[in-house]
Amino acid sequence: MAKPYQRLPNSWLAPQYINGIYVPSALLVTGTAICKMEWVWYSVALAVVFSAWKLYNNMTKKVLKPDKFQEFPLKEKTIISHNVAIYRFALPSAADILGLPIGQHISIAALLPEQPKEIVRSYTPISSDENPGYFDLLIKSYPTGNISKYMASLKVGETIKVKGPKGNMVYTPNLVRHFGMIAGGTGITPMLQIIRAIIRGRPKNGGTDTTEVDLIFANVNVEDILLREDLDQLVKEDAGFRVHYVLNNAPENWTGGVGFVTGDMIKAHLPAPAPDMKMLVCGPPPMVSAMKKTLDALGYEKPKPVSKLGDQVFCF
């Protein structure tokens, strides 16, 4: 059973308390008093039990289970392009959260036609536990993809199987002084999750997070730049976050980088090797492999086959 933790409204005069607890309880006691005065104490006891039940159900519950797949229905699908969409899946209750630590991901499983066993793939939601009641996945469908094509065929109301959390990255405020990030395509999803968490935790927002973030985001064409409006808005809002776009096929008057991500681009736009910085890399396997070699040549700590939280270069 998922463990609840308290994240209730700040005021006891919040509408959900008034409409969901106080009014029904008052009507129950008043109605009982009108009908039969000697039953009032029973109605009071019933009102107390009812209120406790409502309070429990209004408490936020973490629903993810690391050792068990659970099914969640597709609530909404937002088409971004011909092969990219944001899929919103509903949690059991409007107050529920996934319980996914920042930097970690989930596993999605599906039994596909002509496959002898379930296919499992990892995805990072672009939503967070700050968004109760649902989680969002940004997924690009590939012609040879398994889970991505399955997701593209989903209809509202149909379910996916999910378990987690997974992964060795768990972000906490001021984990490092400076993040460098290199993302390609849908590899932007874990980066965006961490970037949003950092900005939410800024001193101006009541937090203590002063982490600097520089991102290189590489794509083939300008229309392939996923969530560009969101990223550009975050740049405007936060002086500690910067993004440098790189395209293979750049249009006229393009002011970003052109071609593949190079060592010179990394030296120009990302933090230099230092004990208090960390480089995050996520993208297609060939890109990740090339970035590991490039970063090693630039003097960063040699990336390991499986990244750990303490590594200077962390590959998702």
Side-chain angles (χ1 to χ4, degrees):
M1 181 178 177
K3 295 182 179 179
Y5 71 97
Q6 192 167 11
R7 190 169 75 177
L8 296 169
N10 293 327
S11 172
W12 289 103
L13 296 178
Q16 49 264 62
Y17 289 149
I18 294 174
N19 299 323
I21 297 177
Y22 305 150
V23 171
S25 297
L27 289 173
L28 174 63
V29 174
T30 303
T32 303
I34 293 172
C35 296
K36 204 159 188 176
M37 193 66 187
E38 57 265 33
W39 287 1
V40 167
W41 290 112
Y42 295 106
S43 68
V44 170
L46 185 57
V48 170
V49 172
F50 168 77
S51 299
W53 177 79
K54 289 288 288 186
L55 283 170
Y56 177 82
N57 279 285
N58 282 333
M59 293 175 72
T60 302
K61 293 180 282 294
K62 299 178 180 180
V63 302
L64 273 181
K65 297 178 181 179
D67 55 352
K68 181 181 178 181
F69 279 105
Q70 301 176 85
E71 295 193 3
F72 300 100
L74 179 64
K75 178 180 179 181
E76 184 180 332
K77 180 177 178 180
T78 303
I79 303 298
I80 304 299
S81 69
H82 71 284
N83 62 351
V84 178
I86 295 175
Y87 301 84
R88 175 163 293 183
F89 293 91
L91 299 177
S93 164
D96 289 345
I97 59 172
L98 272 179
L100 185 70
I102 298 299
Q104 297 210 309
H105 53 269
I106 58 176
S107 291
I108 295 178
L111 185 60
L112 306 178
E114 301 179 4
Q115 294 287 348
K117 59 181 181 179
E118 282 188 328
I119 301 296
V120 180
R121 294 289 184 271
S122 296
Y123 290 93
T124 303
I126 58 172
S127 56
S128 73
D129 287 348
E130 298 295 315
N131 313 117
Y134 67 88
F135 64 95
D136 289 342
L137 297 175
L138 174 73
I139 296 180
K140 183 174 184 178
S141 298
Y142 295 94
T144 57
N146 287 314
I147 294 293
S148 66
K149 284 199 298 183
Y150 170 78
M151 294 289 288
S153 70
L154 280 180
K155 297 179 177 62
V156 171
E158 295 181 331
T159 62
I160 59 168
K161 297 171 68 174
V162 174
K163 75 174 180 180
K166 291 183 61 182
N168 294 322
M169 166 60 70
V170 178
Y171 179 73
T172 53
N174 298 305
L175 179 67
V176 292
R177 173 186 58 84
H178 200 160
F179 270 123
M181 298 179 175
I182 305 173
T186 54
I188 190 63
T189 56
M191 310 301 187
L192 184 60
Q193 188 190 59
I194 293 172
I195 292 163
R196 284 174 170 165
I198 290 171
I199 293 175
R200 278 199 307 270
R202 293 294 195 207
K204 65 180 181 181
N205 297 324
T208 60
D209 206 327
T210 59
T211 308
E212 295 284 314
V213 183
D214 283 282
L215 165 68
I216 292 178
F217 189 18
N219 290 276
V220 178
N221 303 302
V222 68
E223 58 268 22
D224 297 325
I225 303 177
L226 301 173
L227 302 170
R228 185 178 184 181
E229 290 183 2
D230 298 64
L231 292 167
D232 290 344
Q233 184 61 37
L234 291 173
V235 169
K236 291 179 182 177
E237 294 174 0
D238 193 89
F241 171 53
R242 295 158 292 273
V243 59
H244 179 67
Y245 297 107
V246 178
L247 295 177
N248 284 5
N249 304 320
E252 290 185 18
N253 303 318
W254 174 251
T255 58
V258 179
F260 295 110
V261 178
T262 65
D264 287 339
M265 290 181 190
I266 292 171
K267 287 191 287 186
H269 297 283
L270 301 183
D276 56 354
M277 62 76 60
K278 190 181 294 289
M279 193 72 72
L280 306 180
V281 182
C282 189
M287 175 187 176
V288 173
S289 178
M291 290 302 96
K292 284 183 175 181
K293 295 175 183 177
T294 301
L295 292 169
D296 184 27
L298 290 173
Y300 296 89
E301 292 179 9
K302 186 177 180 64
K304 298 175 182 175
V306 178
S307 296
K308 302 294 184 183
L309 182 61
D311 295 347
Q312 187 178 71
V313 178
F314 187 98
C315 299
F316 289 93

